[in-house]
Amino acid sequence: MPETAAPKYLSSSLNSLDIAVIGAGPHALTLAAHLLQKRKTWGNRLCFFDPSGGWLSQWQQQFAALEIPHLRSPAVHHPAPNPFTLRDFAQTHAQELYPPYDLPGTKLFIDFCDRLIQEHQLQDHLVKAQVERIVPLEKGFQLWLGDGSLVLARRVVVAHGGGRKFLPDWVQGISTPYPSDRLQHSSEVDLRTLHCRGEKILIVGSGLTSGHLAIGAAKRGAKVTIMARRVFYEKFFDADPGWLGPKYLKDFQQESCWLTRSQTVINARNGGSLTPAVFTHLRRLRAEGKIEFMENCEIKQAHWVSGAGDQGNNLGANLANSLDDNWQLGCSNGEKLAVDRLWLATGSTLKVQEQPLLAPLLVTNPLEVVNGLPVLTTHLRWGNCELYLMGGLAALQIGPTARNLSGARMASDRIVEALIKPRTFQPLIAA
Ligand SMILES: Cc1cc2nc3c(=O)[nH]c(=O)nc-3n(C[C@H](O)[C@H](O)[C@H](O)COP(=O)(O)OP(=O)(O)OC[C@H]3O[C@@H](n4cnc5c(N)ncnc54)[C@H](O)[C@@H]3O)c2cc1C
């Protein structure tokens, strides 16, 4: 999707907006599509900020880097309001719905989103900028952008994903310098540019990302080990489909204890899992001797050993490795391993107090926080201020699928209801 310049109304005025949306990923797109269905003429009230300058750029980058052929979620989950429009769109792309639950192909999903973006001319409402600071005013907000400029907005929706890479403790304990490309979080690995024929790669983590990375590395001739703290297990979806409707959500929403709700969210997601198709593929590769599984096991210590004797600093990613350079690993089951690369498919953590954009708001506009999740209103509003959160941070209200496409739909329903509620116009008061 092409990058766009700032919308004309933004550059020409004193940057005063009605609704500023931070992020231009699937959640922001879902919000836009739901709002514009209810208020067709509100396009000019909306302005999206994303440092990439394009729609869904993070999503596309992740799918391409991991060579993911199709979504994990079925075709009814997508940003448009009518659940069946993606299936209709797929009539001309029939080969791109994958069994067993009509999982949209990666390209089909992007083509569909692209059409939605064009339909609402959303590329004209996207500003290429990172929002670095949100300052609440008496009415509205100041948004400070990466280039130092300032925008005023009456209402703000934060749809910025916002997870922080989770790194296991032993990573802190590594005392030897190592080339940066030899230890990477999964979000930094790009299979498309990887040359690893003959290398030994250890992937930590039992989720679907581990599976995609293992398949991609094995395809390129690496000898792969995937390590899980528990046993690998398969599940079609991130969370049981009962979380999409009243079956589980009714009790969840009646639960008045936020701590219980947060624990329910953690239990329902139950860490990482593989889809049956990916698990079957991995087992086949194991039978062919290309992949090994290490279960109920963790790394305890890691040392980078440089056979060339270069223990110096600044071991850049482009440093040519000696054949003897490798990781020496001590594992919880007593085994010692030597590998060329370590990949951490260990997911991300989401805590509002660790978010550079939101943590200052906890000081100016305090809010109860439980296990890192803010206690928002039922409309996902931050207390009394006109700031709304979408994504994983809304999980205490939306439930375990808050970060998924289905969660984006549920969040949009609630936020849109609040945004369109008639209220008297309040002019912005600058600080
Ligand atoms: C590999 C992978 C596959 C997935 N597959 C599925 C699936 O099949 N089905 C499903 O339901 N869910 C899936 N998910 C989960 C979820 O739907 C995605 O993570 C999705 O991208 C979340 O959308 P988002 O808009 O919240 O975040 P993102 O896609 O991360 O978009 C957020 C955007 O906000 C921007 N941003 C961040 N900070 C700022 C800032 N300060 N100022 C301005 N902009 C900012 C970022 O640049 C980014 O473009 C998957 C997740 C991953 C990682």
Side-chain angles (χ1 to χ4, degrees):
M1 283 159 217
E3 287 188 4
T4 52
K8 289 192 189 64
Y9 60 86
L10 182 67
S11 52
S12 61
S13 69
L14 204 228
N15 306 345
S16 172
L17 303 167
D18 183 3
I19 303 169
V21 183
I22 301 178
H27 280 241
L29 182 58
T30 309
L31 178 85
H34 282 66
L35 182 61
L36 295 174
Q37 186 204 33
K38 291 253 160 61
R39 292 290 183 274
K40 293 198 174 15
T41 59
W42 277 31
N44 281 338
R45 294 185 181 214
L46 279 168
C47 185
F48 301 83
F49 295 89
D50 198 298
S52 70
W55 277 97
L56 267 55
S57 55
Q58 188 118 321
W59 172 281
Q60 295 194 68
Q61 153 65 22
Q62 284 165 332
F63 272 70
L66 297 176
E67 297 182 334
I68 303 177
H70 57 76
L71 275 67
R72 187 173 196 173
S73 52
V76 286
H77 302 303
H78 54 75
N82 177 343
F84 301 107
T85 43
L86 175 52
R87 207 183 289 267
D88 293 345
F89 183 77
Q91 295 297 317
T92 52
H93 300 69
Q95 76 286 7
E96 287 192 46
L97 287 177
Y98 288 73
Y101 292 108
D102 285 349
L103 311 175
T106 301
K107 183 169 179 315
L108 171 71
F109 185 78
I110 284 298
D111 288 349
F112 175 76
C113 291
D114 224 353
R115 195 188 64 169
L116 199 59
I117 290 160
Q118 284 171 27
E119 184 187 326
H120 296 297
Q121 296 171 355
L122 292 172
Q123 62 277 18
D124 299 339
H125 300 273
L126 174 56
V127 176
K128 180 176 180 170
Q130 166 119 354
V131 178
E132 299 209 322
R133 215 149 64 90
I134 305 174
V135 180
L137 308 172
E138 199 179 315
K139 299 277 177 224
F141 301 87
Q142 287 179 335
L143 302 184
W144 289 91
L145 307 185
D147 64 0
S149 61
L150 167 68
V151 173
L152 296 179
R154 217 152 66 84
R155 297 162 313 162
V156 174
V157 180
V158 180
H160 72 337
R164 238 176 37 133
K165 293 168 200 163
F166 174 78
L167 302 179
D169 289 344
W170 55 263
V171 175
Q172 291 293 330
I174 299 173
S175 55
T176 47
Y178 57 88
S180 55
D181 66 339
R182 296 291 146 161
L183 172 65
Q184 290 175 301
H185 186 267
S186 54
S187 57
E188 296 153 2
V189 179
D190 192 332
L191 290 171
R192 296 168 296 178
T193 56
L194 182 74
H195 300 284
C196 61
R197 178 159 299 282
E199 289 185 6
K200 289 185 183 155
I201 302 182
L202 178 77
I203 306 173
V204 179
S206 59
L208 192 53
T209 299
S210 259
H212 288 307
L213 286 175
I215 290 167
K219 192 168 96 185
R220 287 165 174 78
K223 178 89 178 55
V224 180
T225 303
I226 39 177
M227 180 184 279
R229 264 187 306 192
R230 52 186 184 186
V231 294
F232 291 99
Y233 79 107
E234 61 183 37
K235 225 169 46 156
F236 277 111
F237 308 117
D238 280 340
D240 188 293
W243 285 107
L244 301 174
K247 183 173 172 195
Y248 297 145
L249 281 178
K250 191 161 169 267
D251 285 350
F252 181 76
Q253 279 151 7
Q254 279 170 0
E255 174 57 63
S256 57
C257 171
W258 298 113
L259 186 60
T260 306
R261 283 204 199 192
S262 74
Q263 279 155 352
T264 308
V265 168
I266 295 167
N267 295 341
R269 292 190 74 91
N270 192 21
S273 60
L274 299 161
T275 58
V278 167
F279 204 7
T280 304
H281 195 160
L282 292 172
R283 285 201 199 95
R284 203 173 67 230
L285 292 170
R286 181 172 63 175
E288 291 167 8
K290 295 177 179 163
I291 289 186
E292 262 179 52
F293 293 178
M294 278 183 87
E295 299 182 307
N296 298 311
C297 189
E298 286 181 75
I299 292 177
K300 287 291 170 198
Q301 302 116 23
H303 302 281
W304 177 256
V305 176
S306 180
D310 184 355
Q311 298 288 330
N313 300 320
N314 303 321
L315 298 184
N318 55 2
L319 183 88
N321 265 24
S322 135
L323 281 178
D324 299 331
D325 290 358
N326 61 21
W327 287 106
Q328 302 284 330
L329 307 173
C331 304
S332 57
N333 63 0
E335 268 191 64
K336 304 245 179 277
L337 298 178
V339 300
D340 299 297
R341 290 179 198 265
L342 275 172
W343 288 342
L344 307 176
T346 41
S348 57
T349 53
L350 204 50
K351 290 194 162 73
V352 68
Q353 59 277 42
E354 290 175 359
Q355 303 267 316
L357 210 51
L358 299 174
L361 281 179
L362 286 170
V363 179
T364 54
N365 300 64
L367 203 67
E368 188 180 351
V369 175
V370 179
N371 273 338
L373 298 174
V375 176
L376 305 169
T377 69
T378 51
H379 287 105
L380 310 187
R381 206 175 49 217
W382 185 292
N384 286 328
C385 69
E386 289 281 351
L387 180 128
Y388 302 82
L389 299 189
M390 305 183 73
L393 287 174
L396 289 181
Q397 289 289 357
I398 301 295
T401 67
R403 64 174 71 177
N404 295 100
L405 298 170
S406 51
R409 177 186 300 278
M410 292 189 255
S412 296
D413 284 342
R414 293 173 182 230
I415 297 173
V416 166
E417 197 177 288
L419 291 177
I420 65 179
K421 221 192 236 161
R423 51 179 79 218
T424 45
F425 179 74
Q426 304 277 2
L428 284 171
I429 302 167

